[in-house]
C-alpha cells in the first residue's frame, strides 16, 4: 500500500488509576477526539513528519533513543520500537492532525503513537496485530521517549468501541468491551480539563511505579495484582508510604470490578460514589493530586455531581464528573467560579462519549 489515512483516539478512564503497571485492571474508553495520520510510503529510509500544531521533523528509519527529542520522539520511538521487533521499514511521509487536547491527560501522545504505528504497519503490510502494538507503543514510550508509562492508554485507543468502556487487564493484556451509555440514563460524563500540568509529573509517576514494584517484591509476589488479603499484605509492609500506595492499588482494582458490575446491570448512576472514592484514594493514599484537581472535584460535588475524580497520571490534567444532564451547566459554572476565585487558569469542559478505537479511515 502506498498511501492511506489512519486515526486513533484519546481516552478517559472511568476507574482503575495507577493499577496498570502492577498488572491490574482499568476501565477506560476511547474519546471521539482523534489524532489523524495521512501517510505515504517512501523507499529511501527516511521518515518525515509534519504536524499542524508542532511543525516538522525528519529523521532516518534507524535512530537511537535520545537522538530525536520533543514531540518527534513519540513518532521516532514507534519507528524504533517497530524496527527492534524485526519490522523492516522503508520510510514514510506522515502528516498529522490532532484533535485530542494536548497536555490535558487525555492521552494525546498515545493517540499519536497508535495512529503512527497503525499507519506504518498498514503502509508496509506488516504482520503485526494490535496485541503486539500495545507492547511496541509501550517500548516507544518507556525506552525512547523516556516516560515510564503502562499499557492502559494504548489499549483504550486500540481497542475502544462506540458506547462501550474497555475492561483492560494489564497482566493478561486482554480488553473486554462493557456496555457504557450515560445518555440513556439521563447522565453526562463531563471532562474538566484543568489546564494545569506539574513539572515533576514524570518523576513522581516513576517513583510510584518503583514503590509498587518494590512492595510486590517485599511481599514475595510478581506484582500487586496478586495481593489476595489486603490487611495481611499491609501488616507485612514496614514502609508507611508503601502501605498507602498498596492500599490504593488493591482497592482501586476492586472498584474496577464493582464499576463493571454496575455498568453491566445498567446501574450507571451508582458509579458516582465509586468515582469519588477513587479520587479520595488518589489524593490521600497515592498522593498524585494537585489543588486544581481537588478543587474541581469538591466544586463539582458541591454543585450536585453524582461523583468525580481525577484521571490519568495526575499532577494536573483532567477530572471526570458524572452529572445529571440537566445539572451539567450548574456543575461547569461552579467549577469555573471556584477556579476564578483561586486564580487558576480557565478550565475547559467536554462531554465524553465512548467512541470507536484506532482505525484505517481511507
Ligand atoms: C498514564 C499512563 C498509564 C497509566 C495512567 C495512570 O496515563 O500512561 O499507563 O499508568 O497514567 O493510571
Amino acid at each position: 500500500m502506498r498511501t492511506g489515512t489512519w486515526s486513533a483516539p484519546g481516552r478517559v478512564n472511568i476507574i482503575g488509576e495507577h493499577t496498570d503497571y502492577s498488572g491490574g485492571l482499568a476501565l477506560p474508553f476511547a474519546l471521539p477526539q482523534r489524532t489523524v495520520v495521512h501517510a505515504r510510503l517512501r523507499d529511501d529510509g527516511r521518515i518525515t513528519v509534519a504536524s499542524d500544531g508542532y511543525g516538522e521533523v525528519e529523521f532516518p528509519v534507524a535512530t537511537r533513543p535520545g537522538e530525536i527529542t520533543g514531540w518527534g520522539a513519540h513518532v521516532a520511538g514507534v519507528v524504533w520500537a517497530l524496527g527492534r521487533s524485526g519490522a523492516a521499514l522503508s520510510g514514510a511521509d506522515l502528516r498529522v492532525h490532532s484533535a485530542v487536547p494536548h497536555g490535558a491527560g487525555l492521552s494525546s501522545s498515545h493517540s499519536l503513537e497508535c495512529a503512527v504505528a497503525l499507519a506504518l504497519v498498514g503502509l508496509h503490510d506488516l504482520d503485526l496485530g494490535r496485541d503486539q502494538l500495545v507492547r511496541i507503543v509501550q517500548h516507544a514510550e518507556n525506552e525512547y521517549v523516556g516516560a515510564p508509562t503502562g499499557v492502559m492508554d494504548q489499549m483504550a485507543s486500540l481497542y475502544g468501541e462506540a458506547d462501550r468502556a474497555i475492561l483492560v487487564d494489564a497482566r493478561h493484556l486482554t480488553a473486554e468491551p462493557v456496555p457504557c451509555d450515560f445518555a440513556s440514563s439521563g447522565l453526562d460524563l463531563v471532562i474538566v480539563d484543568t489546564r494545569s500540568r506539574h513539572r515533576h509529573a514524570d518523576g513522581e509517576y516513576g517513583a510510584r511505579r518503583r514503590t509498587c514494584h518494590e512492595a510486590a517484591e517485599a511481599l514475595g509476589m510478581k506484582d500487586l495484582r496478586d495481593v489476595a488479603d489486603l490487611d495481611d499484605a499491609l501488616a507485612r509492609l514496614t514502609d508507611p508510604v508503601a502501605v498507602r500506595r498498596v492500599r490504593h492499588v488493591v482497592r482501586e482494582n476492586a472498584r474496577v470490578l464493582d464499576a463493571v458490575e454496575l455498568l453491566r446491570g445498567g446501574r450507571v448512576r451508582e458509579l458516582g460514589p465509586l468515582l469519588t472514592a477513587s479520587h479520595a484514594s488518589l489524593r490521600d493514599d497515592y498522593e498524585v493530586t494537585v489543588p486544581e484537581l481537588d478543587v474541581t472535584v469538591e466544586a463539582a460535588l458541591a454543585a450536585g455531581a453524582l461523583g468525580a475524580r481525577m484521571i490519568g497520571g495526575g499532577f494536573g490534567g483532567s477530572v471526570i464528573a458524572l452529572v445529571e444532564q440537566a445539572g451539567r451547566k450548574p456543575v461547569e459554572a461552579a467549577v469555573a467560579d471556584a477556579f476564578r476565585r483561586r486564580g487558576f487558569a480557565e478550565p475547559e469542559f467536554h462531554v465524553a462519549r465512548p467512541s470507536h478505537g484506532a482505525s484505517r479511515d481511507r
Side-chain angles (χ1 to χ4, degrees):
M1 186 182 309
R2 307 268 338 156
T3 63
T5 300
W6 288 263
S7 68
R11 62 98 189 90
V12 295
N13 186 18
I14 299 174
I15 203 149
E17 217 64 85
H18 282 282
T19 48
D20 62 348
Y21 49 80
S22 42
L25 305 170
L27 191 62
F29 65 76
L31 289 170
Q33 289 88 346
R34 305 173 76 81
T35 299
V36 180
V37 173
H38 303 285
R40 173 185 302 277
L41 195 67
R42 290 174 70 114
D43 56 12
D44 61 355
R46 311 272 317 157
I47 304 280
T48 72
V49 198
S51 150
D52 35 8
Y54 299 99
E56 301 182 9
V57 282
E58 182 174 348
F59 48 87
V61 163
T63 65
R64 279 191 305 273
E67 281 184 52
I68 308 295
T69 55
W71 74 275
H74 295 280
V75 178
V78 169
V79 172
W80 171 83
L82 281 168
R84 215 184 53 163
S85 78
L89 301 182
S90 65
D93 293 320
L94 307 170
R95 266 192 303 125
V96 178
H97 305 274
S98 184
V100 185
H102 184 73
L106 302 175
S107 265
S108 61
S109 49
H110 280 86
S111 74
L112 169 64
E113 290 156 0
C114 288
V116 165
L118 274 192
L120 291 172
V121 166
L123 284 181
H124 292 85
D125 214 3
L126 300 174
D127 186 19
L128 282 173
R130 293 189 182 213
D131 48 343
Q132 288 156 294
L133 295 185
V134 170
R135 285 295 185 213
I136 282 171
V137 167
Q138 188 181 25
H139 292 150
E141 277 269 316
N142 292 178
E143 288 154 61
Y144 202 104
V145 177
T149 49
V151 294
M152 186 255 289
D153 301 333
Q154 60 271 44
M155 287 183 73
S157 188
L158 290 166
Y159 294 114
E161 291 185 21
D163 300 318
R164 300 279 185 277
I166 305 302
L167 172 57
V168 163
D169 179 325
R171 167 172 281 182
H172 302 108
L173 294 191
T174 54
E176 199 183 324
V178 179
C180 181
D181 178 357
F182 301 104
S184 67
S185 301
L187 303 175
D188 277 332
L189 193 73
V190 179
I191 302 170
V192 183
D193 173 2
T194 67
R195 319 253 322 280
S196 65
R197 186 79 189 136
H198 193 283
R199 273 184 298 137
H200 303 301
D202 275 3
E204 295 283 358
Y205 184 101
R208 298 222 172 13
R209 191 178 176 139
R210 267 193 310 282
T211 302
C212 288
H213 185 72
E214 286 163 10
E217 253 177 12
L219 293 168
M221 48 186 63
K222 182 163 178 284
D223 46 32
L224 296 179
R225 173 75 178 273
D226 297 318
V227 172
D229 181 336
L230 177 60
D231 290 336
D232 172 66
L234 297 184
R236 285 161 54 208
L237 292 168
T238 46
D239 173 15
V241 173
V243 165
R244 293 201 295 277
R245 304 295 188 255
V246 170
R247 191 163 55 203
H248 165 75
V249 169
V250 173
R251 288 184 175 162
E252 187 76 354
N253 277 326
R255 279 188 285 268
V256 173
L257 293 176
D258 291 347
V260 168
E261 197 179 316
L262 290 176
L263 284 177
R264 288 203 172 119
R267 294 154 61 194
V268 183
R269 223 173 224 90
E270 292 169 58
L271 286 174
L274 284 179
L275 300 184
T276 307
S278 169
H279 186 80
S281 177
L282 288 158
R283 182 191 60 213
D284 302 335
D285 275 348
Y286 222 67
E287 298 175 283
V288 290
T289 70
V290 288
E292 286 85 346
L293 298 169
D294 294 331
V295 165
T296 303
V297 168
E298 282 156 30
L301 292 175
L306 301 169
R309 71 174 201 85
M310 58 146 275
I311 59 166
F315 302 100
S318 292
V319 162
I320 50 171
L322 186 67
V323 299
E324 303 283 356
Q325 282 181 335
R328 176 163 67 84
K329 287 290 169 200
V331 165
E332 294 181 1
V335 172
D337 186 49
F339 271 46
R340 257 192 308 277
R341 278 187 283 115
R342 301 234 176 190
F344 296 162
E346 196 179 333
E348 274 175 20
F349 304 99
H350 312 268
V351 173
R353 174 159 190 189
S355 302
H356 68 286
S359 55
R360 168 139 202 242
D361 299 344
R362 276 197 298 282

